[in-house]
Amino acid sequence: NCFCNFDFMLKHINSIEYFYFQIGGYFEGNRQIIIKDNYFELMKSQYGFSENILSKENHLTINSISSLIEVLNDISLLSWDENYSNEDVMDGTQWEIEIKYNNLKKIKKSFGSNQFPYVDKINNTISSKNSDNTPDFLKLIVVLNKIIKKKNFFY
């Protein structure tokens, strides 16, 4: 559990050029979304079977993009560590997130295995927890499910 101090207000997302998120585990299968050029593509897989989920409704509205940016800033994504891993858990949950933002050349990446970021805005710290229902991770899951109009696509 690394406690890292950050000035959360210094890092802010204004635009998204590319966004990738995947989450999964042995029993739940894997779910992923790629957002690019105001469209999204979904993929789900389970036990070696993969399926692309394409729809005419895969276009993102300005409100959807604004909601995603708002949540990503609220959960201080740009201040997350690169790696949140707990190797003591077998068959748990793995996740990964990548974002290209504000027309910058580099991509912000963060991933985890059985560990998730926990943002404490009162103490201005980010630590890690062994539960995927940390408030920040739940906000991310909720906004992604809302954007794609599928209630429980991302667990």
Side-chain angles (χ1 to χ4, degrees):
N1 278 349
C2 164
F3 287 88
C4 307
N5 285 308
F6 296 97
D7 185 347
F8 294 109
M9 301 313 289
L10 289 178
K11 299 180 179 183
H12 192 79
I13 298 168
N14 297 312
S15 65
I16 296 174
E17 288 76 55
Y18 172 82
F19 179 85
Y20 168 82
F21 176 76
Q22 75 84 16
I23 187 168
Y26 182 75
F27 297 106
E28 304 94 23
N30 189 296
R31 305 279 191 271
Q32 70 181 31
I33 184 171
I34 297 173
I35 296 174
K36 189 174 181 183
D37 300 325
N38 298 332
Y39 283 89
F40 67 87
E41 181 178 332
L42 300 174
M43 164 106 56
K44 69 178 180 178
S45 62
Q46 181 122 16
Y47 306 119
F49 173 76
S50 294
E51 174 186 4
N52 273 345
I53 302 169
L54 300 174
S55 161
K56 293 176 185 171
E57 297 178 14
N58 283 18
H59 187 273
L60 292 171
T61 65
I62 291 172
N63 286 344
S64 293
I65 295 168
S66 294
S67 294
L68 178 59
I69 289 172
E70 183 180 325
V71 166
L72 295 176
N73 285 320
D74 185 50
I75 65 175
S76 303
L77 175 70
L78 298 181
S79 295
W80 287 12
D81 287 340
E82 185 176 330
N83 183 356
Y84 295 87
S85 293
N86 178 349
E87 303 303 325
D88 295 332
V89 179
M90 288 181 50
D91 296 332
T93 301
Q94 289 74 46
W95 59 271
E96 183 177 356
I97 192 166
E98 296 179 3
I99 183 170
K100 186 173 183 302
Y101 62 98
N102 298 354
N103 294 312
L104 299 175
K105 294 199 184 299
K106 76 177 199 174
I107 292 177
K108 165 69 178 173
K109 297 180 182 183
S110 194
F111 64 92
S113 179
N114 309 309
Q115 198 118 44
F116 304 85
Y118 177 74
V119 179
D120 181 349
K121 290 190 175 136
I122 294 170
N123 295 310
N124 215 24
T125 61
I126 297 179
S127 60
S128 57
K129 301 249 185 211
N130 291 335
S131 172
D132 60 355
N133 55 4
T134 62
D136 305 296
F137 216 78
L138 284 176
K139 286 179 189 176
L140 176 61
I141 298 296
V142 167
V143 76
L144 290 175
N145 283 333
K146 186 176 174 186
I147 285 171
I148 65 172
K149 299 178 177 115
K150 293 182 183 290
K151 188 174 182 181
N152 294 313
F153 186 78
F154 298 103
Y155 326 112

